[in-house]
Amino acid sequence: MAIHPSAVIEEGAQIDPSATVGPFCLVGAQVVLAADVVLKSHVVITGHTVVGEGTVIFPFAVIGEIPQDLKFKGEGEASRLVIGKRNRIREHVTMNSGTEGGGGLTSVGDDGLFMAGCHIAHDAIVGNNVIVVNNAAVAGHCVIEDDVIIGGLSGIHQWVRVGRGAIIGAVTMVTNDVIPYGLVQAPRGHLDGLNLVGLKRRGVARGDITALRAAFQMLAQGEGTFHDRAERLGAETESAYVREIVDFVLADTGRHFLTPK
């Protein structure tokens, strides 16, 4: 275990012998650092926080502090943050623990990149392979599914769901749910198409991409409400990717969706 002499490790912290804690870090009494975790320097980790294997946290990040929520009343063990494996958490990133009203857990998956100054709020559930670019903010109770990219200086409103493989352009405010593989941009968040670049990079078959494009056109231009179009699409499609969009839209969450322009 490599712990710099200037680091403050509170009694009770569980630190794997292979972890590294750099200069002037603070590790709280209820923190768990798994194998090969690296805290570069000046990192604060507090609260009931678990940091998964191989995650690297860069200077001045504050991880596991209490929620920025006036309803928070010091829930203690009911407020947790769990971070997965091999994440890269860059400078000045903040990730808050959960609230009792939101289930008590903020969760971050594996293999994410959280660039400088971004924020993950209380009770957010963030999937695997997510990229949150500089100074973007994910508000409380959001669900960010796998393979999502959130552009710099963007904001995801509380309770919003962003489906798998979606991309949010820079300087975008997202106030409604985003379908899987959707492309959202513009200051007030318009659904402008599909994340075709991301689909191609992941090796999605041409036939599936064609099916997704046809599905998007039906959702954009078909008759009836957005919900009605999704139901018809579900009855007609044979594509697993399209079915994923349909299931996302038809899930009973009470949320509204960004719809195609």
Side-chain angles (χ1 to χ4, degrees), residues 28-241:
Q30 296 157 322
V31 170
V32 177
L33 303 183
D36 300 315
V37 167
V38 176
L39 311 185
K40 291 283 192 174
S41 73
H42 299 84
V43 174
V44 174
I45 304 186
T46 187
H48 289 269
T49 299
V50 176
V51 182
E53 175 182 334
T55 288
V56 179
I57 305 180
F58 285 73
F60 303 104
V62 179
I63 307 299
E65 263 292 3
I66 64 172
Q68 298 178 90
D69 184 346
L70 293 175
K71 297 186 298 298
F72 183 75
K73 301 302 180 184
E75 280 85 331
E77 293 188 10
S79 178
R80 297 179 295 131
L81 168 64
V82 177
I83 298 171
K85 300 176 181 178
R86 299 177 300 277
N87 290 285
R88 295 296 178 266
I89 299 173
R90 295 304 302 253
E91 298 82 356
H92 299 279
V93 168
T94 54
M95 296 183 176
N96 294 159
S97 58
T99 64
E100 186 174 15
L105 175 65
T106 304
S107 175
V108 174
D110 301 335
D111 300 301
L113 173 58
F114 300 88
M115 297 189 190
C118 73
H119 175 62
I120 306 298
H122 60 88
D123 305 296
I125 305 299
V126 179
N128 302 321
N129 302 300
V130 169
I131 298 174
V132 183
V133 181
N134 303 67
N135 298 302
V138 176
H141 311 283
C142 289
V143 176
I144 310 298
E145 295 188 353
D146 295 348
D147 304 312
V148 167
I149 298 174
I150 299 174
L153 297 167
S154 295
I156 312 299
H157 194 275
Q158 61 184 357
W159 299 103
V160 160
R161 296 182 303 149
V162 180
R164 183 164 75 104
I167 184 168
I168 310 300
V171 198
T172 299
M173 181 64 201
V174 181
T175 56
N176 290 311
D177 290 353
V178 178
I179 62 171
Y181 315 109
L183 166 64
V184 174
Q185 56 188 351
R188 295 305 298 180
H190 297 300
L191 183 61
D192 276 351
L194 297 171
N195 182 13
L196 296 174
V197 172
L199 290 166
K200 291 173 182 176
R201 285 177 177 171
R202 285 194 290 276
V204 175
R206 183 183 297 273
D208 284 311
I209 292 177
T210 299
L212 282 167
R213 296 181 77 164
F216 183 85
Q217 289 301 315
M218 180 175 177
L219 288 173
Q221 300 176 359
E223 296 181 357
T225 67
F226 190 70
H227 193 277
D228 291 340
R229 292 175 232 162
E231 286 187 328
R232 287 200 304 274
L233 187 60
E236 298 172 4
T237 188
E238 296 181 357
S239 167
Y241 287 88

